[in-house]
Amino acid sequence: MDRLIAMDLDNTLLTSAKTISPASLEALQMLKADGVIIGLVSGRSMWSLQQDISRWQVEPLVDFLLGSNGGVFCDLKTGEEINRYRLESNKAKAVLDFYQNVDWVARCIVDGATRYTEHLDEAMRKDSEIYHELPEETDLYAYLRKHDTVDKILLMFDAARLTEMERSAKQIPVEGISSYSSAANLYEFSHKLRNKGTGLQYAAEHFHVPMENVWAFGDATNDLAMIEAAGHGICMANGYETVKQKADDVTRYTNDEDGLARYVQAHMLEAGA
Protein backbone atom coordinates (compact mmCIF):
# COMPACT_ATOMS: atom_id res chain seq x y z
CA MET A 1 0.00 0.00 0.00
CA ASP A 2 1.25 3.49 -0.86
CA ARG A 3 2.89 5.53 1.88
CA LEU A 4 3.71 9.23 1.98
CA ILE A 5 6.26 11.14 4.03
CA ALA A 6 6.20 14.91 4.56
CA MET A 7 9.24 16.57 6.11
CA ASP A 8 9.73 20.06 7.44
CA LEU A 9 13.09 21.54 6.47
CA ASP A 10 14.65 23.82 9.09
CA ASN A 11 15.68 21.95 12.24
CA THR A 12 14.09 18.75 10.90
CA LEU A 13 15.52 17.42 7.63
CA LEU A 14 18.21 20.10 7.53
CA THR A 15 21.10 20.46 9.92
CA SER A 16 21.57 23.72 11.80
CA ALA A 17 23.97 24.68 9.00
CA LYS A 18 21.03 24.41 6.52
CA THR A 19 22.47 21.35 4.77
CA ILE A 20 21.24 17.81 4.09
CA SER A 21 23.60 15.37 5.77
CA PRO A 22 24.89 12.27 3.93
CA ALA A 23 22.76 10.08 6.21
CA SER A 24 19.61 12.07 5.44
CA LEU A 25 20.35 11.95 1.71
CA GLU A 26 20.76 8.19 1.93
CA ALA A 27 17.45 7.93 3.81
CA LEU A 28 15.71 9.85 1.01
CA GLN A 29 17.24 7.54 -1.57
CA MET A 30 16.12 4.46 0.34
CA LEU A 31 12.60 5.83 0.80
CA LYS A 32 12.41 6.48 -2.93
CA ALA A 33 13.62 2.96 -3.72
CA ASP A 34 10.98 1.62 -1.32
CA GLY A 35 8.22 3.40 -3.26
CA VAL A 36 7.39 6.02 -0.61
CA ILE A 37 5.96 9.32 -1.92
CA ILE A 38 8.29 12.07 -0.67
CA GLY A 39 7.34 15.66 0.08
CA LEU A 40 9.19 18.66 1.52
CA VAL A 41 7.16 21.16 3.54
CA SER A 42 8.22 24.66 4.54
CA GLY A 43 7.22 28.21 5.29
CA ARG A 44 9.44 29.22 2.37
CA SER A 45 7.86 30.39 -0.87
CA MET A 46 7.47 27.86 -3.68
CA TRP A 47 10.12 29.72 -5.68
CA SER A 48 12.53 29.42 -2.76
CA LEU A 49 11.80 25.71 -2.31
CA GLN A 50 12.45 25.02 -5.97
CA GLN A 51 15.79 26.83 -5.71
CA ASP A 52 16.65 24.82 -2.60
CA ILE A 53 16.00 21.36 -4.03
CA SER A 54 18.01 22.25 -7.11
CA ARG A 55 20.91 23.45 -4.96
CA TRP A 56 20.73 20.33 -2.77
CA GLN A 57 20.44 18.12 -5.89
CA VAL A 58 17.47 16.15 -4.54
CA GLU A 59 14.96 16.92 -7.31
CA PRO A 60 14.81 13.31 -8.59
CA LEU A 61 13.95 12.09 -5.09
CA VAL A 62 11.11 14.50 -4.25
CA ASP A 63 7.55 14.06 -5.53
CA PHE A 64 5.91 17.21 -4.18
CA LEU A 65 6.50 20.48 -2.38
CA LEU A 66 4.32 22.36 0.08
CA GLY A 67 5.43 25.97 0.37
CA SER A 68 4.17 28.99 2.29
CA ASN A 69 3.32 26.79 5.29
CA GLY A 70 1.18 24.43 3.25
CA GLY A 71 -0.64 27.08 1.24
CA VAL A 72 1.05 26.30 -2.08
CA PHE A 73 1.20 22.74 -3.46
CA CYS A 74 3.34 21.62 -6.39
CA ASP A 75 3.46 18.15 -7.97
CA LEU A 76 7.03 18.04 -9.25
CA LYS A 77 6.30 15.26 -11.72
CA THR A 78 3.36 16.93 -13.50
CA GLY A 79 4.15 20.57 -12.73
CA GLU A 80 0.69 21.14 -11.27
CA GLU A 81 0.73 24.03 -8.79
CA ILE A 82 -2.07 25.51 -6.69
CA ASN A 83 -2.12 28.40 -4.19
CA ARG A 84 -4.88 28.00 -1.58
CA TYR A 85 -6.33 30.08 1.28
CA ARG A 86 -4.67 33.47 0.90
CA LEU A 87 -5.13 36.10 3.62
CA GLU A 88 -7.68 38.85 2.93
CA SER A 89 -6.08 42.29 2.87
CA ASN A 90 -8.43 43.76 5.47
CA LYS A 91 -7.33 41.09 7.96
CA ALA A 92 -3.69 41.62 7.03
CA LYS A 93 -4.17 45.33 7.70
CA ALA A 94 -5.67 44.58 11.13
CA VAL A 95 -2.54 42.64 12.09
CA LEU A 96 -0.30 45.47 10.90
CA ASP A 97 -2.41 47.97 12.85
CA PHE A 98 -2.11 45.92 16.03
CA TYR A 99 1.70 46.07 15.92
CA GLN A 100 2.03 49.56 14.45
CA ASN A 101 3.45 51.12 17.63
CA VAL A 102 5.39 48.10 18.89
CA ASP A 103 8.98 49.23 18.46
CA TRP A 104 10.58 45.77 18.85
CA VAL A 105 8.69 44.25 15.91
CA ALA A 106 9.59 44.60 12.22
CA ARG A 107 6.43 44.17 10.12
CA CYS A 108 6.49 42.49 6.70
CA ILE A 109 4.16 41.22 4.00
CA VAL A 110 5.28 38.04 2.27
CA ASP A 111 3.69 37.54 -1.13
CA GLY A 112 5.12 34.98 -3.51
CA ALA A 113 8.92 35.12 -3.41
CA THR A 114 9.08 38.71 -2.11
CA ARG A 115 9.30 39.98 1.47
CA TYR A 116 7.96 43.52 1.59
CA THR A 117 9.11 45.59 4.56
CA GLU A 118 8.93 49.17 5.76
CA HIS A 119 12.61 49.43 6.70
CA LEU A 120 15.14 47.35 4.81
CA ASP A 121 18.13 47.15 7.14
CA GLU A 122 21.00 44.66 7.19
CA ALA A 123 19.27 42.32 9.66
CA MET A 124 16.22 42.11 7.41
CA ARG A 125 18.40 41.48 4.34
CA LYS A 126 20.21 38.63 6.07
CA ASP A 127 17.01 37.02 7.33
CA SER A 128 15.42 37.28 3.88
CA GLU A 129 18.51 35.68 2.37
CA ILE A 130 18.23 32.68 4.72
CA TYR A 131 14.77 31.92 3.32
CA HIS A 132 15.62 32.94 -0.26
CA GLU A 133 13.07 35.75 -0.22
CA LEU A 134 13.58 38.89 -2.26
CA PRO A 135 13.50 41.86 0.17
CA GLU A 136 11.84 45.05 -0.99
CA GLU A 137 11.20 48.26 0.94
CA THR A 138 7.70 49.58 0.38
CA ASP A 139 4.63 51.18 1.97
CA LEU A 140 2.82 48.13 3.36
CA TYR A 141 -0.57 49.83 3.54
CA ALA A 142 -0.28 51.03 -0.06
CA TYR A 143 0.53 47.45 -1.09
CA LEU A 144 -2.60 46.15 0.65
CA ARG A 145 -4.76 48.76 -1.06
CA LYS A 146 -3.63 47.38 -4.42
CA HIS A 147 -4.13 43.69 -3.58
CA ASP A 148 -7.21 41.84 -2.33
CA THR A 149 -5.18 39.05 -0.72
CA VAL A 150 -1.59 38.25 0.30
CA ASP A 151 0.19 35.08 1.33
CA LYS A 152 0.90 36.12 4.92
CA ILE A 153 2.04 38.73 7.41
CA LEU A 154 5.48 38.10 8.89
CA LEU A 155 6.83 39.72 12.05
CA MET A 156 10.54 39.70 12.87
CA PHE A 157 11.91 40.36 16.36
CA ASP A 158 14.61 39.42 18.85
CA ALA A 159 14.32 35.70 19.62
CA ALA A 160 14.47 36.49 23.34
CA ARG A 161 10.98 38.01 23.03
CA LEU A 162 9.29 34.94 21.54
CA THR A 163 7.16 34.28 24.63
CA GLU A 164 6.05 37.91 24.65
CA MET A 165 5.14 37.63 20.97
CA GLU A 166 3.12 34.47 21.57
CA ARG A 167 1.11 36.24 24.28
CA SER A 168 0.45 39.31 22.16
CA ALA A 169 -0.63 37.29 19.12
CA LYS A 170 -3.49 35.80 21.14
CA GLN A 171 -4.88 39.28 21.78
CA ILE A 172 -5.41 40.31 18.14
CA PRO A 173 -9.17 40.90 17.68
CA VAL A 174 -9.40 39.37 14.20
CA GLU A 175 -11.34 36.24 13.31
CA GLY A 176 -10.39 33.81 10.58
CA ILE A 177 -6.61 33.96 10.98
CA SER A 178 -4.04 31.61 12.43
CA SER A 179 -0.71 32.58 13.95
CA TYR A 180 2.38 30.60 14.83
CA SER A 181 6.13 30.79 15.28
CA SER A 182 8.06 29.52 12.26
CA ALA A 183 11.45 30.31 13.84
CA ALA A 184 12.61 31.69 17.17
CA ASN A 185 12.66 35.22 15.70
CA LEU A 186 9.70 34.98 13.29
CA TYR A 187 5.93 34.94 13.78
CA GLU A 188 3.43 34.49 10.97
CA PHE A 189 -0.23 35.33 10.44
CA SER A 190 -2.22 33.70 7.66
CA HIS A 191 -5.68 32.49 6.65
CA LYS A 192 -6.95 30.06 9.30
CA LEU A 193 -7.00 27.20 6.77
CA ARG A 194 -3.57 27.96 5.30
CA ASN A 195 -1.39 25.60 7.28
CA LYS A 196 0.73 22.51 6.85
CA GLY A 197 -2.11 20.28 8.02
CA THR A 198 -4.58 21.25 5.29
CA GLY A 199 -1.72 21.26 2.80
CA LEU A 200 -0.74 17.74 3.79
CA GLN A 201 -4.34 16.54 3.50
CA TYR A 202 -4.51 18.01 -0.01
CA ALA A 203 -1.26 16.24 -0.96
CA ALA A 204 -2.48 12.91 0.42
CA GLU A 205 -5.74 13.19 -1.54
CA HIS A 206 -3.81 14.17 -4.66
CA PHE A 207 -1.69 11.02 -4.45
CA HIS A 208 -4.60 8.85 -3.21
CA VAL A 209 -2.87 7.95 0.05
CA PRO A 210 -5.04 7.53 3.19
CA MET A 211 -3.96 9.71 6.11
CA GLU A 212 -3.22 6.64 8.23
CA ASN A 213 -0.38 5.90 5.78
CA VAL A 214 1.06 9.41 6.02
CA TRP A 215 4.16 10.24 8.08
CA ALA A 216 4.95 13.84 9.04
CA PHE A 217 8.13 15.14 10.68
CA GLY A 218 8.56 18.60 12.20
CA ASP A 219 9.86 20.58 15.15
CA ALA A 220 8.04 23.93 15.52
CA THR A 221 4.51 25.16 16.16
CA ASN A 222 3.89 25.74 12.46
CA ASP A 223 4.45 21.97 12.01
CA LEU A 224 1.85 21.03 14.59
CA ALA A 225 -1.14 21.00 12.21
CA MET A 226 0.48 18.43 9.90
CA ILE A 227 1.83 16.37 12.80
CA GLU A 228 -1.71 16.13 14.17
CA ALA A 229 -3.24 15.45 10.74
CA ALA A 230 -0.87 12.62 9.80
CA GLY A 231 -1.41 9.03 10.81
CA HIS A 232 2.14 9.12 12.16
CA GLY A 233 3.10 12.57 13.48
CA ILE A 234 6.72 12.73 14.63
CA CYS A 235 8.44 15.60 16.46
CA MET A 236 12.19 16.01 16.44
CA ALA A 237 14.15 15.63 19.68
CA ASN A 238 15.16 19.28 19.27
CA GLY A 239 11.54 20.35 18.75
CA TYR A 240 9.33 22.57 20.88
CA GLU A 241 7.93 20.92 24.02
CA THR A 242 4.38 21.89 23.02
CA VAL A 243 4.82 19.99 19.75
CA LYS A 244 6.36 16.95 21.44
CA GLN A 245 3.35 16.71 23.74
CA LYS A 246 0.94 16.37 20.81
CA ALA A 247 3.07 14.22 18.51
CA ASP A 248 2.61 10.46 18.19
CA ASP A 249 6.32 9.97 18.76
CA VAL A 250 9.58 11.88 19.24
CA THR A 251 12.87 11.04 17.58
CA ARG A 252 15.67 9.94 19.86
CA TYR A 253 18.21 12.16 18.11
CA THR A 254 18.24 15.81 17.01
CA ASN A 255 18.46 17.22 13.49
CA ASP A 256 22.23 17.59 13.94
CA GLU A 257 22.46 13.91 14.91
CA ASP A 258 20.58 12.58 11.87
CA GLY A 259 17.46 12.14 13.98
CA LEU A 260 15.06 11.95 11.03
CA ALA A 261 17.25 9.56 9.03
CA ARG A 262 17.71 7.23 12.00
CA TYR A 263 13.98 7.23 12.74
CA VAL A 264 13.07 6.52 9.12
CA GLN A 265 15.55 3.66 9.00
CA ALA A 266 14.15 2.10 12.17
CA HIS A 267 10.43 2.64 11.59
CA MET A 268 9.64 3.13 7.89
CA LEU A 269 12.09 1.28 5.70
CA GLU A 270 11.52 -2.39 5.09
CA ALA A 271 15.20 -3.02 5.73
CA GLY A 272 14.83 -1.47 9.17
CA ALA A 273 11.51 -3.08 10.06
Side-chain angles (χ1 to χ4, degrees), residues 24-269:
S24 292
L25 180 59
E26 182 180 9
L28 291 178
Q29 293 168 337
M30 294 179 72
L31 286 167
K32 190 68 174 179
D34 212 31
V36 178
I37 297 167
I38 298 174
L40 302 183
V41 188
S42 176
R44 291 171 168 84
S45 70
M46 185 56 65
W47 179 85
S48 174
L49 275 176
Q50 290 168 341
Q51 300 301 306
D52 286 335
I53 63 171
S54 176
R55 177 164 51 88
W56 297 326
Q57 298 182 325
V58 296
E59 289 170 286
L61 303 176
V62 180
D63 296 289
F64 71 94
L65 300 173
L66 281 171
S68 194
N69 277 315
V72 185
F73 167 85
C74 181
D75 182 329
L76 291 176
K77 308 311 176 187
T78 67
E80 177 185 345
E81 184 173 319
I82 183 170
N83 191 339
R84 307 160 70 233
Y85 304 126
R86 283 165 57 85
L87 181 64
E88 299 94 328
S89 289
N90 64 317
K91 294 179 180 179
K93 179 180 180 299
V95 176
L96 293 181
D97 288 345
F98 188 84
Y99 289 98
Q100 187 167 19
N101 297 315
V102 181
D103 59 8
W104 50 271
V105 169
R107 305 178 303 169
C108 310
I109 294 172
V110 176
D111 215 10
T114 304
R115 181 188 293 195
Y116 299 96
T117 181
E118 299 161 300
H119 306 291
L120 186 53
D121 57 16
E122 189 59 26
M124 184 65 72
R125 287 186 186 278
K126 288 183 178 179
D127 198 77
S128 300
E129 183 178 344
I130 290 173
Y131 299 101
H132 302 288
E133 293 169 344
L134 306 174
E136 182 176 322
E137 189 169 284
T138 192
D139 182 327
L140 299 183
Y141 289 101
Y143 186 89
L144 291 178
R145 287 194 293 270
K146 296 177 182 178
H147 299 81
D148 294 330
T149 60
V150 297
D151 281 344
K152 61 187 177 184
I153 295 296
L154 177 72
L155 303 182
M156 192 173 110
F157 49 91
D158 188 309
R161 305 189 85 142
L162 177 58
T163 300
E164 189 175 354
M165 172 58 70
E166 290 173 333
R167 286 198 300 264
S168 70
K170 295 177 182 178
Q171 300 172 15
I172 297 180
V174 182
E175 295 183 355
I177 64 172
S178 62
S179 62
Y180 39 78
S181 169
S182 54
N185 68 322
L186 299 175
Y187 219 81
E188 303 187 10
F189 298 82
S190 60
H191 188 289
K192 67 178 180 180
L193 295 178
R194 190 180 180 94
N195 59 60
K196 293 183 180 182
T198 57
L200 181 58
Q201 289 172 332
Y202 182 90
E205 292 173 5
H206 178 83
F207 290 106
H208 308 291
V209 178
M211 291 304 292
E212 58 263 31
N213 292 343
V214 172
W215 299 68
F217 291 79
D219 69 292
T221 54
N222 67 325
D223 300 316
L224 188 54
M226 75 169 180
I227 285 175
E228 291 184 311
H232 308 271
I234 316 301
C235 182
M236 300 298 294
N238 51 282
Y240 291 22
E241 288 302 318
T242 52
V243 181
K244 290 179 181 179
Q245 291 169 8
K246 296 188 178 182
D248 296 313
D249 203 359
V250 178
T251 65
R252 183 176 178 181
Y253 300 96
T254 70
N255 63 310
D256 287 325
E257 299 169 323
D258 295 318
L260 187 151
R262 294 186 187 198
Y263 192 96
V264 163
Q265 178 66 43
H267 298 276
M268 286 192 70
L269 294 169

